[in-house]
Amino acid sequence: MSAFSLQQAQKRVDSKTTLFWFRRDLRLDDNAGLFHALNGDHHVLPIFIFDESILSQLEDPADARVSFIHQCLQHLQEDLKKEGSSLLVLKGDPNAIFSALNPAAVYANHDYEPYARKRDAEIADVLKKKKVPFHTFKDQVVFEKNEVTKDDGKPYTIFTPYSRKWKDRLATTSLVKYATTDYLGNLKKTDPISLPSLADIGFIPSDIPIPKRVIRTAVIKKYSEQRDFPGIDSTTRLGVHLRFGTLSIRALVKLASKTNETWLNELIWREFYHMILWHFPHVATRSFKPAYDRIIWR
């Protein structure tokens, strides 16, 4: 853990400061957890943690994901500076970091991967012992966990019936846009806190180009006709932005619903696999069907 980072955190985090913990939601706009944090009882200081247990498993020092996240954090910092606030970026064990801090409350959005669920449960326990509320919200998907299931309550394992039920539910659901930017005045006022460089966290810049955070409506309109032709620039290139939440899934589903059903189906596939991961967490490291684990791959 970077000593200077923890010292900065302890100086700025007190019992009158709420922390909003960025994870897979690296944006200010239409962010459910951030919206609720900003509408709480205390000023909000955003925080991001480079989790050492995750970083230690990355073999490539030029890992493109780390470069992408670092770039996103720089953009967030610039936006927060305009509001007279700052992003606090730490590196270390999240459990140890939250054990060392004493905020009024911690807010975050749900994370569905097995490691994240275990981590969040442990941190919730740490905070509970200190009587610090830990609030989490749905933001990464439109429908989560048990919100789209078979009539008997069991999870779907086949996409087509899941997608039908998903669309039926969408037809009766109002997709909320969280007006986060209307409440940025509730951010904690503080001098900018310097962000660690990639070198500080043990990485170097990646040479892999990062797609811009641009929603190309013209591509989406022709998606169903052109997506299968590699010679045409016909895909949205938004996968990494969905992965790390630089764009709102609610906004994209709204756009897809009125623009191109084939692209909407791709977004539903993403939700389907989130649901599979929630109900069958073994798929994070093994095949969905155990028999497939015995296949000898070249």
Side-chain angles (χ1 to χ4, degrees):
M1 184 185 302
S2 300
F4 77 94
S5 295
L6 185 57
Q7 290 171 0
Q8 286 183 328
Q10 290 173 323
K11 290 178 182 178
R12 289 167 171 80
V13 178
D14 55 30
S15 60
K16 295 183 179 179
T17 301
T18 285
L19 293 177
F20 174 71
W21 183 12
F22 279 111
R23 286 108 72 91
R24 300 187 190 280
D25 47 8
L26 302 179
R27 67 186 187 282
L28 298 183
D29 183 51
D30 194 13
N31 184 317
L34 179 58
F35 174 83
H36 289 290
L38 292 169
N39 280 272
D41 297 327
H42 302 278
H43 291 304
V44 177
L45 181 66
I47 183 174
F48 181 87
I49 299 172
F50 279 106
D51 189 333
E52 284 186 335
S53 65
I54 295 175
L55 296 181
S56 64
Q57 298 178 38
L58 305 180
E59 298 178 355
D60 184 0
D63 192 289
R65 292 163 295 186
V66 179
S67 286
F68 178 80
I69 291 170
H70 191 264
Q71 185 182 98
C72 291
L73 297 179
Q74 291 175 313
H75 293 159
L76 278 173
Q77 179 72 318
E78 290 304 312
D79 290 339
L80 291 165
K81 284 167 64 175
K82 293 174 185 176
E83 303 295 331
S85 189
S86 183
L87 177 65
L88 178 64
V89 178
L90 310 177
K91 178 191 174 187
D93 172 15
N95 198 320
I97 288 171
F98 283 108
S99 294
L101 301 177
N102 294 289
V106 177
Y107 284 70
N109 288 311
H110 295 165
D111 200 340
Y112 306 99
E113 296 188 4
Y115 167 75
R117 291 166 66 177
K118 179 177 180 292
R119 174 202 64 203
D120 286 1
E122 291 173 352
I123 289 171
D125 186 55
V126 166
L127 294 173
K128 183 178 180 180
K129 290 177 181 177
K130 299 198 291 184
K131 298 183 179 179
V132 175
F134 183 33
H135 306 289
T136 63
F137 300 86
K138 178 178 69 174
D139 182 77
Q140 194 179 156
V141 293
V142 172
F143 300 121
E144 65 173 7
K145 303 177 184 177
N146 295 306
E147 290 187 323
V148 178
T149 59
K150 300 177 184 179
D151 292 341
D152 61 4
K154 294 181 180 179
Y156 284 101
T157 58
I158 299 174
F159 174 73
T160 300
Y162 170 85
S163 66
R164 291 196 193 104
K165 181 70 74 69
W166 192 99
K167 289 177 182 177
D168 287 344
R169 174 135 194 179
L170 181 67
T172 59
T173 300
S174 177
L175 292 179
V176 175
K177 178 177 180 179
Y178 293 95
T180 320
T181 52
D182 291 348
Y183 298 92
L184 294 181
N186 294 335
L187 289 165
K188 181 169 184 172
K189 303 300 182 185
T190 182
D191 293 335
I193 304 167
S194 60
L195 269 60
S197 66
L198 277 173
D200 288 334
I201 58 174
F203 287 81
I204 61 175
S206 170
D207 292 331
I208 297 175
I210 297 174
K212 294 181 179 179
R213 188 178 62 171
V214 176
I215 301 172
R216 300 187 293 169
T217 307
V219 169
I220 295 172
K221 287 180 178 178
K222 297 180 180 180
Y223 187 80
S224 50
E225 293 81 24
Q226 297 185 346
R227 66 176 180 144
D228 293 327
F229 297 94
I232 303 174
D233 183 13
S234 57
T235 58
T236 64
R237 298 179 64 78
L238 295 180
V240 68
H241 295 284
L242 279 166
R243 171 69 167 153
F244 295 106
T246 67
L247 291 168
S248 163
I249 183 59
R250 293 174 295 277
L252 294 181
V253 165
K254 284 182 182 178
L255 176 61
S257 297
K258 61 184 181 182
T259 306
N260 192 300
E261 186 171 11
T262 301
W263 193 55
L264 175 63
N265 286 338
E266 296 298 294
L267 298 179
I268 300 173
W269 270 106
R270 175 179 174 272
E271 303 234 334
F272 176 67
Y273 283 120
H274 269 86
M275 181 274 300
I276 290 290
L277 183 62
W278 177 262
H279 289 283
F280 307 97
H282 71 272
V283 300
T285 55
R286 304 193 306 277
S287 299
F288 179 72
K289 295 183 178 181
Y292 294 165
D293 284 327
R294 297 194 290 271
I295 295 175
I296 301 174
W297 299 98
R298 286 186 295 178

